[in-house]
Amino acid sequence: QVQLVESGGGLVKAGGSLRLSCAFSGRSFDNYAMGWFRQPPGKEREFVAAVSWTTTGKTTYDDSVKGRFTISRDNAEKKVYLQMNDVKDEDTAVYFCAAQFGGVGFRIQHDYNYWGLGTQVTVSS
């Protein structure tokens, strides 16, 4: 019913910037909270950022990216973005977007109903 496709990943130098995009195909995009997760090499998938489905668009960030990354959504285009600034070596990972309908917490992976296949981000020194 819902399909998510990430794009925008690639190689970026430490201190540089990159913007990831996630295209949502399906119904009622504006009723889903949208999140970004990442999986560094050899580690488990972890929470990065999320934006609510509400008109106010409340955002939440993991402490590791707070002040550097910005999540946003465009309901008309059914897309969600992750603007990554001042990237660090530790940001290297596969980044996934996810959609949540009726969940209780942005950081709870089990509450997300749909997942994209991911896009690779590699930070070089």
Side-chain angles (χ1 to χ4, degrees), residues 41-121:
K43 298 182 179 181
E44 296 182 348
R45 189 165 59 191
E46 62 188 25
F47 173 78
V48 176
V51 59
S52 71
W53 61 269
T54 64
T55 303
T56 55
K58 182 180 179 180
T59 58
T60 302
Y61 299 91
D62 184 76
D63 289 341
S64 65
V65 305
K66 191 176 299 181
R68 299 188 298 117
F69 292 7
T70 302
I71 187 172
S72 62
R73 65 190 299 161
D74 186 333
N75 287 347
E77 297 292 333
K78 297 198 292 185
K79 291 183 178 179
V80 61
Y81 304 96
L82 184 68
Q83 179 65 47
M84 306 168 60
N85 295 330
D86 190 26
V87 297
K88 304 178 182 298
D89 291 343
E90 294 75 24
D91 295 323
T92 293
V94 177
Y95 284 72
F96 301 87
C97 67
Q100 178 189 112
F101 188 94
V104 298
F106 289 158
R107 290 176 168 82
I108 304 175
Q109 296 189 35
H110 288 175
D111 280 4
Y112 286 83
N113 306 94
Y114 303 99
W115 294 82
L117 296 180
T119 184
Q120 177 71 49
V121 173

Side-chain angles (χ1 to χ4, degrees), residues 2-46:
V2 173
Q3 184 175 349
L4 304 174
V5 180
E6 303 96 336
S7 62
L11 180 65
V12 59
K13 292 184 177 181
S17 298
L18 198 67
R19 189 178 76 160
L20 306 183
S21 300
C22 177
F24 178 106
S25 298
R27 298 179 178 178
S28 304
F29 172 73
D30 56 353
N31 289 146
Y32 286 84
M34 299 297 297
W36 285 98
F37 293 78
R38 67 185 181 186
Q39 186 168 18
K43 298 182 179 181
E44 296 182 348
R45 189 165 59 191
E46 62 188 25

